[in-house]
């Protein structure tokens, strides 16, 4: 890997780490189910960026794009199913707060 | 090429932080769409037009629609509850920008530079269609299975709910 590519990867890597931190913080601190799902989306964005930069730096753009397309498809399905579960939970408990989901407690 | 990249990366990070810290869920969903749009521009800059189009149409479009639908299908809070939530949120999320600034400063100014050198054979001429349809054919099978699983999952979720309502 040439030095310029390594620097580019490190520059993007810093922002990927910051995005991962933002998404993780959102998941850990939020109590709203939809906001937790948004945090998960932010984590996915960071992974997408990492794959694209990895492909760019190593010259494997076609492979990186194929992987990102697969990732996006999986992301959509996860979001759709999770949104369905959240709407179902809201219909059941009348709230989006994770503290109200205590049906399985104890 | 680096300085526009840095500006776009900063814009994406600001959009992501705004997504997390916005008081309204609708603003959060719009912030997420904005993050996706900036990521799309970055992908175009990094020679990934096909993945960028997918990101723009699906992540910035479809997923935002799913989020806004989910938000509109759930009950909004009253004004008093909203005020209480805002105060609580400010306390919980005030740490995020500080933490990000500290981590960014540590990563930028430390002498730590991991060595990412790997043995690879660059092949920029390989077409993404060839990779997707020939080399990674099993990925497509996996995608089809995941899409079918998602469709059946949605059907089961809403079918179960309508039965439950009818039973009451």
């Amino acid at each position: 890997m040439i030095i310029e590519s390594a620097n580019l990867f490190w520059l993007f890597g810093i922002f990927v780490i910051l995005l991962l931190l933002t998404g993780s913080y959102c998941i850990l601190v939020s109590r709203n189910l939809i906001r937790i799902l948004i945090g998960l989306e932010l984590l996915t964005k960071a992974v997408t960026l990492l794959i694209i930069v990895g492909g760019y730096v190593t010259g494997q753009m076609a492979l990186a794009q194929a992987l990102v397309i697969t990732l996006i498809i999986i992301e959509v399905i996860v979001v759709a199913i999770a949104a369905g579960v959240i709407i179902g939970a809201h219909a059941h408990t009348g709230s989006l707060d994770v503290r109200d989901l205590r049906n399985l407690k104890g | 090429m680096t300085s526009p990249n840095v500006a776009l990366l900063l814009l994406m990070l600001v959009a992501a932080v705004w997504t997390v810290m916005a008081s309204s869920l609708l603003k959060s969903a719009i912030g997420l769409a904005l993050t996706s749009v900036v990521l799309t521009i970055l992908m175009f800059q990094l020679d990934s037009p096909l993945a960028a189009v997918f990101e723009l149409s699906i992540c910035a479009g479809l997923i935002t629609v799913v989020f806004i639908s989910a938000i509109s299908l759930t009950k909004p809070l009253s004004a008093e509850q909203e005020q209480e939530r805002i105060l609580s949120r400010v306390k919980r999320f005030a740490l995020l920008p500080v933490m990000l600034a500290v981590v960014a400063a540590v990563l930028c100014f430390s002498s730590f530079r991991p060595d990412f050198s790997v043995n690879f054979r660059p092949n920029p001429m390989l077409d993404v269609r060839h990779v997707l349809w020939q080399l990674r054919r099993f990925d497509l099978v996996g995608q089809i299975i995941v899409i079918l699983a998602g469709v059946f999952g949605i059907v089961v979720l809403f079918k179960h709910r309508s039965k439950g309502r009818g039973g009451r």
Side-chain angles (χ1 to χ4, degrees):
Chain A
M1 188 184 295
I2 56 175
I3 293 172
E4 193 180 332
S5 295
N7 285 337
L8 187 75
F9 190 77
W10 181 237
L11 170 71
F12 275 82
I14 290 173
F15 281 91
V16 165
I17 291 170
L18 295 178
L19 260 183
L20 284 172
L21 269 178
T22 310
S24 308
Y25 192 91
C26 183
I27 291 175
L28 287 173
V29 176
S30 293
R31 291 168 187 160
N32 188 307
L33 287 168
I34 293 179
R35 212 176 280 279
I36 290 172
L37 195 55
I38 286 174
L40 189 70
E41 273 292 297
L42 286 177
L43 289 182
T44 321
K45 300 270 174 274
V47 174
T48 305
L49 183 61
L50 188 63
I51 292 174
I52 288 293
V53 176
Y56 182 78
V57 169
T58 55
Q60 304 278 355
M61 285 318 301
L63 184 61
Q65 289 190 77
L67 286 176
V68 165
I69 289 169
T70 308
L71 176 70
I72 288 171
I73 299 291
I74 294 170
E75 183 185 344
V76 169
I77 298 301
V78 167
V79 167
I81 293 286
V85 171
I86 289 170
I87 292 169
H90 180 265
H92 199 69
T93 63
S95 165
L96 285 175
D97 200 322
V98 285
R99 291 170 296 182
D100 293 331
L101 299 175
R102 292 179 176 170
N103 284 346
L104 293 177
K105 187 179 177 186
Chain B
M1 185 179 164
T2 306
S3 62
N5 276 347
V6 172
L8 285 171
L9 285 167
L10 277 173
L11 183 62
M12 189 170 74
L13 188 64
V14 169
V17 172
W18 186 60
T19 302
V20 174
M21 296 192 73
S23 56
S24 153
L25 279 174
L26 205 58
K27 284 180 188 169
S28 287
I30 292 167
L32 189 65
L34 183 64
T35 312
S36 283
V37 169
V38 181
L39 181 59
T40 301
I41 299 169
L42 276 169
M43 283 176 166
F44 270 112
Q45 294 251 4
L46 296 176
D47 298 335
S48 310
L50 195 64
V53 167
F54 265 79
E55 175 74 26
L56 186 64
S57 57
I58 295 182
C59 293
L62 182 63
I63 289 183
T64 308
V65 171
V66 170
F67 271 120
I68 291 176
S69 307
I71 291 165
S72 62
L73 284 171
T74 52
K75 191 178 67 178
L77 295 174
S78 67
E80 290 175 1
Q81 285 175 324
E82 190 75 40
Q83 195 62 33
E84 282 177 16
R85 290 283 168 98
I86 287 173
L87 288 174
S88 164
R89 282 184 55 74
V90 168
K91 284 179 192 168
R92 280 183 286 138
F93 283 90
L95 191 62
L96 177 62
V98 180
M99 191 178 74
L100 287 179
V102 170
V103 172
V106 168
L107 289 175
C108 288
F109 296 113
S110 71
S111 57
F112 173 66
R113 288 284 185 279
D115 183 18
F116 295 111
S117 54
V118 287
N119 291 323
F120 60 87
R121 286 180 300 163
N123 197 354
M125 298 308 290
L126 202 59
D127 190 21
V128 62
R129 287 168 295 186
H130 176 73
V131 172
L132 202 57
W133 292 105
Q134 302 295 327
L135 301 180
R136 310 286 302 181
R137 198 177 292 165
F138 278 107
D139 284 8
L140 291 177
V141 177
Q143 286 181 33
I144 292 166
I145 292 171
V146 167
I147 290 171
L148 283 176
V151 170
F152 287 130
I154 293 288
V155 167
V156 166
L157 274 173
F158 284 89
K159 191 178 173 186
H160 180 70
R161 217 151 53 89
S162 62
K163 268 188 183 173
R165 277 185 182 168
R168 285 175 204 167

